[in-house]
Each structure stands twice: as structure tokens, then as C-alpha cells.
């Protein structure tokens, strides 16, 4: 597992964190920003499959949102990952991902992770490739949603990254 800085706590998000998650997503400049309402709902309905990194003051400085796929309950779909710009470069995203997957491997028996990444998002590509390497898991890539499927204007394709198998010993 990747260690986060000692003054950070990796925790489950609470509804009161919704505004902070929305702000972190907005300030990332790379994530598709959802409505502030959706982040409140996410913190309520998907807190068990998400994680937040809290600074010394208890405020979120990073998050990973995810859900267990309804048709594949052993797979965690990672929706978004963001870290406050002042806290980047310290392994927080990796620690969040490692902590979340360790928790869900133990609690729910997940054996794989999926996420989508747009081509050219080097930070996300590094995060998930290094996760697979650290955990000795296979990584495959394929286009999940071609650009032409998006109805709201130009959008890069979304490439599906599949990582697994994970076991309780590899996820720690």
C-alpha cells in the first residue's frame, strides 16, 4: 500500500463533504464536472465505495468516488479521482486508491477495478498503471465509449482500464 503523508486521514465521505468534493472536481480542470447536487448524493449513497483524504483540519484534500457494478458485484468502478492542487505529488491519489480497494476487497470481496480515462490524461494513466504494478495485477485497455456516442459536443473517447485479479493479499 502507498503511504499518504502522516497528517492525512483516509476516510469515508460524509454528506457534509459533498461541497468540498464538487470544489475539488471543479478545480481539477480535467474531470467532467457534475452538478453539486450529484456530489451530495454520491456522498450519501456511495460513501461505502468511495474515499476521502482529510488534512489536519479535517477538510477533504482529495477523493476517489466509485461504485460496485450492479451486474458484476466483484468489480469496483472508479468514477472520479481528484487531489487539491496544493497537495499533489505526495502520493495521495495512490493512497486513496490503495486504501479504498483494500477496504472493499476485505468487506465485499472485489477482485477487479474498472475506470475510464480519456487519451492524454497522463496523471490518471500513471495512477492506474502503477496501481496494477504495485498489486501484481493485469491491466487491459479498450475503448468503452467512442467519441461519437457523446451527444453534448466534442468529447474524447473513454478508454476502459480493467485491473485484476485482486486478492486480499494483493490489495494491501
Amino acid at each position: 500500500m502507498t503511504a499518504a503523508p502522516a497528517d492525512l486521514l483516509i476516510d469515508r465521505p460524509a454528506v457534509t463533504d459533498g461541497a468540498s468534493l464538487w470544489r475539488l472536481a471543479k478545480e481539477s480542470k480535467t474531470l467532467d464536472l457534475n452538478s453539486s447536487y450529484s456530489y451530495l448524493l454520491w456522498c450519501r449513497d456511495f460513501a461505502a465505495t468511495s474515499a476521502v483524504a482529510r488534512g489536519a483540519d479535517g477538510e477533504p484534500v482529495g477523493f476517489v468516488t466509485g461504485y460496485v457494478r450492479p451486474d458484476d458485484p466483484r468489480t469496483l468502478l472508479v468514477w472520479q479521482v481528484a487531489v487539491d492542487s496544493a497537495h499533489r505529488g505526495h502520493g495521495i491519489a495512490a493512497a486513496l486508491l490503495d486504501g479504498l480497494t483494500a477496504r472493499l476487497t476485505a468487506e465485499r470481496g472485489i477482485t477487479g477495478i474498472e475506470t475510464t480515462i480519456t487519451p492524454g490524461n497522463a496523471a490518471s494513466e500513471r495512477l492506474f498503471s502503477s496501481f496494477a504494478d504495485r498489486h501484481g495485477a493485469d491491466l487491459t485497455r479498450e475503448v468503452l465509449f467512442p467519441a461519437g456516442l457523446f451527444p453534448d459536443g466534442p468529447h474524447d473517447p473513454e478508454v476502459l482500464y480493467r485491473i485484476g485479479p485482486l486478492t486480499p493479499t494483493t490489495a494491501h
Side-chain angles (χ1 to χ4, degrees):
M1 179 187 257
T2 300
D7 61 342
L8 286 182
L9 169 68
I10 307 280
D11 195 9
R12 292 177 194 228
V15 170
T16 53
D17 296 323
S20 294
L21 272 59
W22 178 82
R23 179 189 55 78
L24 289 167
K26 181 179 180 182
E27 291 174 357
S28 77
K29 308 275 193 239
T30 58
L31 293 177
D32 288 337
L33 184 63
N34 299 293
S35 71
S36 58
Y37 176 70
S38 70
Y39 291 91
L40 293 169
L41 281 175
W42 203 278
C43 289
R44 184 191 77 166
D45 294 342
F46 297 105
T49 55
S50 299
V52 62
R54 299 183 189 284
D57 61 0
E59 287 301 308
V61 297
F63 71 85
V64 174
T65 54
Y67 62 89
V68 173
R69 293 205 39 222
D71 63 342
D72 187 1
R74 295 215 180 264
T75 298
L76 170 69
L77 185 287
V78 174
W79 181 260
Q80 290 188 319
V81 179
V83 174
D84 182 82
S85 60
H87 293 85
R88 290 183 192 145
H90 300 287
I92 295 171
L96 278 163
L97 192 56
D98 286 349
L100 178 60
T101 56
R103 176 167 38 100
L104 293 178
T105 299
E107 292 176 0
R108 297 183 182 220
I110 67 160
T111 58
I113 296 177
E114 292 183 351
T115 194
T116 63
I117 302 173
T118 54
N121 184 339
S124 289
E125 291 169 353
R126 279 191 309 274
L127 174 64
F128 286 94
S129 295
S130 67
F131 175 88
D133 289 344
R134 275 194 313 281
H135 297 283
D138 293 332
L139 168 63
T140 62
R141 298 170 188 88
E142 66 183 84
V143 173
L144 179 64
F145 299 126
L149 287 182
F150 293 91
D152 57 347
H155 193 291
D156 289 330
E158 291 284 346
V159 178
L160 177 66
Y161 281 55
R162 284 191 176 114
I163 300 170
L166 301 175
T167 65
T169 56
T170 64
H172 285 81

